[in-house]
Amino acid sequence: MSSNFHSSLFVFLTGASGAGKTYLAQALEQHLNPSFVQVEYFDRIGIPTFEEMRHAYGSIERWQEVNTQ
């Protein structure tokens, strides 16, 4: 029986700075079929300075919340 059902899987990587999150995301991106997989990570969108985050969003946490969503 064939199905047209498509499911989504979201994987969030968290960890300390320098733990290898971006390295892992880039490795996954290189080895998975781009027709089915989209890899996003903060390093790709650019990280403003703490001062810019606070000025634009009121806090660092709010910047992270907005850009995670």
Side-chain angles (χ1 to χ4, degrees):
M1 173 184 269
S2 177
S3 172
N4 289 331
F5 177 74
H6 296 276
S7 63
S8 297
L9 172 66
F10 292 90
V11 176
F12 295 91
L13 303 174
T14 64
S17 179
K21 301 176 299 294
T22 298
Y23 176 84
L24 179 58
Q26 290 171 337
L28 288 170
E29 185 174 42
Q30 290 177 5
H31 289 92
L32 298 173
N33 185 335
S35 298
F36 301 104
V37 176
Q38 180 178 343
V39 177
E40 298 293 340
Y41 43 94
F42 281 138
D43 290 1
R44 178 176 286 170
I45 64 171
I47 306 294
T49 66
F50 290 155
E51 293 78 22
E52 291 170 329
M53 290 179 197
R54 285 187 194 107
H55 178 73
Y57 295 93
S59 71
I60 296 166
E61 293 79 10
R62 180 67 181 143
W63 175 88
Q64 186 172 21
E65 178 185 350
V66 168
N67 284 279
T68 299
Q69 293 175 2

